Amino acid sequence: MQGLLRGLVYGGLIITVLMTATAWGMWLERKLAARMQSRIGPNVVGKFGLLQPVADLMKLLQKEEIYPIGADRLLFDLAPFLVTTFAIATAAVVPFSAEAVGADLDVGLLWVLALGGLMVIPVWMAGWASNNKFALIGGMRAVAQSISYGVPLVLTSLVAVVFTGTMSLSGIVKFQIEHGWLALWPPGPGVVAFVLFYMALLAESNRIPFDIPEAESELVAGITTEYTGMKFGLLYVGEYVHTMVGSAIAAVIFLGGWDGPFHIASGLHWMVIKTVALFASVYWVRWSLLRFRSDQLMRLCWLYLVPVSLGLVVFAALWRHFVLR
Amino acid sequence: MGYLLDSIRALGVTAKNIGRKPVTVQFPKVIRERQERYRTSFALLKDEQGEERCVGCLACERICPSQIIHMSSTKKESPVTGKKRGYLDDFTLDMTACIFCELCVQVCPFDAIVMLKVPHEPGYVREDLVLTMAKLYENAEKPLTWGNGTKLMEMQEPPKPAPAQAAAPVPAPAAAPVPAAVPVPAAAPAPAPVPVPASAAAAEPAKTEAP
């Protein structure tokens, strides 16, 4: 009973905090994007436009719900909720500090990767159920991309697992507190693994330069084409939450989680700083680079990312076996 | 590899931009200075003695490409100078069809009609866009453009010939080029020998100048 209560409270807390953080993450993105293009960005609603997410929410809530002719209503309704649910559920195992962790699973990393992989299904549902060619093509591309980039994502996470010998996320952080952050140590391969993980993360969350599933100039808006109102909002939020949680996971696996540099003032705030920095950098990349073509995307994945990350796993195994014994 | 290097350069560019001042001007709050030749609506002017400058010579009505200027006038004795001259009974300018060519301003021999430098107000009905005589005289209070008939004609005149020729009377080259020199109807006894607008108006201080 007590465990259930704790779960409810912590779950509610995570959802609230994460949704709020994501809402203002969107504000941050718009502000950053504006500044990168010498614009001002949202500045009308509230001080510095800080209430812009609230205004967006109100707008979305007022929109009419439209079902396209021939749409599969059940799947059409279900998809946005599943996207958001999976994205948020991932956050349950993220250790924000030594104490602030929802469920410190032994297989936390597996949980994260599994839910990330499951995201493919609601995305495909949305694409299929819309009965729209753009949504369909967008969904197909998203599935192809997620599955392909899931491989380097898993392999680079495996590097961390092999190094640390645990799949528990807080276990990984504790290992890093003892031995140094994985992105910095051992010197070469750690950084490479981090970069590859980051690229795979960009691809998993459909961000430029890997945003072909919703390439505006080709596919209107990909799977979100036919969605209106809050269902569109949920798809959108799900994407941002996915990015946010992905940044948090990257910070945990490779950047030492709540550990401060040189163990200075370790705690929750370091985790927040790292997550926000990674989150912002995703948008920095998004507003700087161009979109890959579909075939370039696949070539990059299968010819470069996968072999390199496989090599990294082998290196990690050797290091673990001979150096760290 | 090339893509990678280019990507890094692109990231650098955007990173540099973050520190730069935004170029956005928040339009309705901040209005930038209008361009020199910015011109919108029209105004009719009065001279220093408070007399209407327009004598109803029909020059603008004739030259208007859209044929949107209509006026009627009668001859009366001027209370100021005591001479007989034309006074407007009615004057309308239909902004719905105006093409902002400024020809009416150019041909005006008395610098009576000029253009405004403030955006002209949109209306809810078509009638709002028709400038009546009252509205045109009210507009004289608003910021005016730099141009009036005299100044615009000066810009069009060919370089002045030798002084000896210039002394020669009326059929001057100034009258030739543009329809500007539409002869003022002889009926309108304007101050002084009529068809030499340039010199006549130049004598007066140009109070129509925009600030």
Side-chain angles (χ1 to χ4, degrees):
Chain A
M1 192 59 208
Q2 209 184 357
L4 185 69
L5 196 68
R6 185 179 176 276
L8 280 177
V9 169
Y10 197 83
L13 197 67
I14 275 204
I15 291 174
T16 317
V17 171
L18 203 61
M19 292 301 250
T20 318
T22 309
W24 272 275
M26 286 180 198
W27 171 85
L28 179 73
E29 189 215 343
R30 290 173 67 169
K31 217 56 181 168
L32 269 180
R35 296 313 319 275
M36 284 173 192
Q37 298 167 352
S38 292
R39 294 185 286 115
I40 296 175
N43 68 341
V44 175
V45 196
K47 188 95 179 148
F48 305 118
L50 270 170
L51 293 180
Q52 190 66 44
V54 183
D56 289 347
L57 177 74
M58 298 319 283
K59 187 197 83 173
L60 284 176
L61 283 174
Q62 290 170 29
K63 294 272 177 181
E64 182 190 0
E65 291 208 356
I66 298 170
Y67 293 94
I69 295 173
D72 188 327
R73 285 207 173 198
L74 180 66
L75 296 186
F76 191 74
D77 282 341
L78 207 53
F81 294 99
L82 286 185
V83 167
T84 316
T85 312
F86 286 156
I88 294 178
T90 327
V93 296
V94 177
F96 288 96
S97 81
E99 299 83 31
V101 47
D104 194 7
L105 294 186
D106 292 344
V107 287
L109 193 56
L110 185 65
W111 166 264
V112 168
L113 293 173
L115 278 180
L118 268 183
M119 287 280 279
V120 170
I121 294 171
V123 165
W124 174 238
M125 273 162 66
W128 174 257
S130 296
N131 192 29
N132 173 308
K133 56 189 166 191
F134 297 118
L136 185 67
I137 296 172
M140 283 164 68
R141 285 184 179 186
V143 170
Q145 177 175 320
S146 290
I147 290 178
S148 303
Y149 279 82
V151 175
L153 194 74
V154 171
L155 285 176
T156 42
S157 319
L158 202 58
V159 172
V161 173
V162 171
F163 269 133
T164 57
T166 172
M167 287 187 95
S168 149
L169 286 173
S170 52
I172 291 177
V173 175
K174 276 166 196 153
F175 178 89
Q176 292 182 73
I177 292 175
E178 275 174 44
H179 294 89
W181 298 0
L182 278 183
L184 306 174
W185 174 97
V191 179
V192 178
F194 174 58
V195 171
L196 293 193
F197 186 87
Y198 183 77
M199 285 168 79
L201 176 72
L202 285 179
E204 283 280 308
S205 49
N206 299 339
R207 289 298 174 205
I208 283 179
F210 307 107
D211 74 329
I212 58 161
E214 52 173 81
E216 287 95 344
S217 44
E218 303 164 25
L219 294 180
V220 190
I223 58 163
T224 55
T225 307
E226 293 288 359
Y227 279 94
T228 55
M230 210 48 219
K231 277 187 284 185
F232 168 78
L234 279 178
L235 279 177
Y236 203 66
V237 163
E239 221 167 65
Y240 275 82
V241 171
H242 195 177
T243 316
M244 181 74 94
V245 176
S247 312
I249 302 279
V252 164
I253 299 182
F254 290 102
L255 296 182
W258 65 82
D259 182 30
F262 309 107
H263 308 300
I264 297 166
S266 299
L268 183 65
H269 51 278
W270 275 113
M271 185 63 193
V272 173
I273 290 171
K274 286 170 189 173
T275 307
V276 171
L278 277 177
F279 185 76
S281 77
V282 168
Y283 295 103
W284 179 25
V285 170
R286 178 180 183 188
W287 291 101
S288 304
L289 301 191
L290 305 173
R291 181 185 307 137
F292 277 119
R293 226 168 41 221
S294 237
D295 59 317
Q296 292 170 329
L297 189 86
M298 288 301 161
R299 187 186 305 142
L300 178 72
C301 179
W302 293 107
L303 290 190
Y304 299 97
L305 297 195
V306 171
V308 173
S309 43
L310 265 176
L312 284 173
V313 173
V314 172
F315 174 87
L318 293 175
W319 181 280
R320 177 84 194 168
H321 189 72
F322 292 109
V323 182
L324 208 67
R325 197 141 43 124
Chain B
M1 201 61 201
Y3 180 85
L4 200 66
L5 289 178
D6 287 347
S7 304
I8 291 168
R9 257 185 54 213
L11 288 170
V13 169
T14 43
K16 223 188 285 169
N17 260 356
I18 290 182
R20 200 178 279 171
K21 221 172 146 243
V23 294
T24 312
V25 177
Q26 301 261 291
F27 166 64
K29 288 184 208 154
V30 183
I31 296 179
R32 286 193 292 186
E33 203 187 327
R34 303 290 178 193
Q35 292 297 308
E36 203 185 331
R37 297 304 304 272
Y38 182 91
R39 53 184 200 260
T40 54
S41 196
F42 292 89
L44 282 176
L45 299 183
K46 297 183 178 177
D47 66 11
E48 299 85 36
Q49 284 90 33
E51 260 212 312
E52 299 172 2
R53 282 171 179 248
C54 181
V55 299
C57 70
L58 296 177
C60 49
E61 180 170 339
R62 288 197 188 125
I63 200 154
C64 180
S66 319
Q67 305 184 352
I68 53 170
I69 300 177
H70 300 287
M71 66 175 92
S72 58
S73 58
T74 44
K75 269 188 281 179
K76 275 186 251 170
E77 228 168 64
S78 159
V80 178
T81 57
K83 289 179 184 168
K84 271 195 132 188
R85 52 158 282 194
Y87 281 96
L88 285 177
D89 294 327
D90 192 25
F91 188 105
T92 56
L93 197 155
D94 185 359
M95 289 299 285
T96 52
C98 181
I99 62 169
F100 303 95
C101 61
E102 212 181 14
L103 281 176
C104 48
V105 176
Q106 252 182 58
V107 297
C108 185
F110 304 101
D111 297 349
I113 187 165
V114 291
M115 296 189 81
L116 300 185
K117 210 169 185 170
V118 287
H120 86 100
E121 284 154 24
Y124 288 100
V125 288
R126 285 172 177 227
E127 285 73 26
D128 288 355
L129 296 177
V130 178
L131 294 175
T132 58
M133 197 161 78
K135 279 191 205 168
L136 282 165
Y137 277 116
E138 265 171 41
N139 277 351
E141 306 299 319
K142 297 180 182 169
L144 304 177
T145 50
W146 156 95
N148 60 24
T150 315
K151 290 182 188 165
L152 290 171
M153 282 313 295
E154 270 169 11
M155 288 172 73
Q156 305 256 338
E157 268 173 23
K160 286 196 173 160
Q165 284 177 337
V170 188
V178 199
V182 174
V184 174
V194 179
V196 201
S199 56
E204 305 168 356
K207 74 160 187 181
T208 58
E209 212 166 335

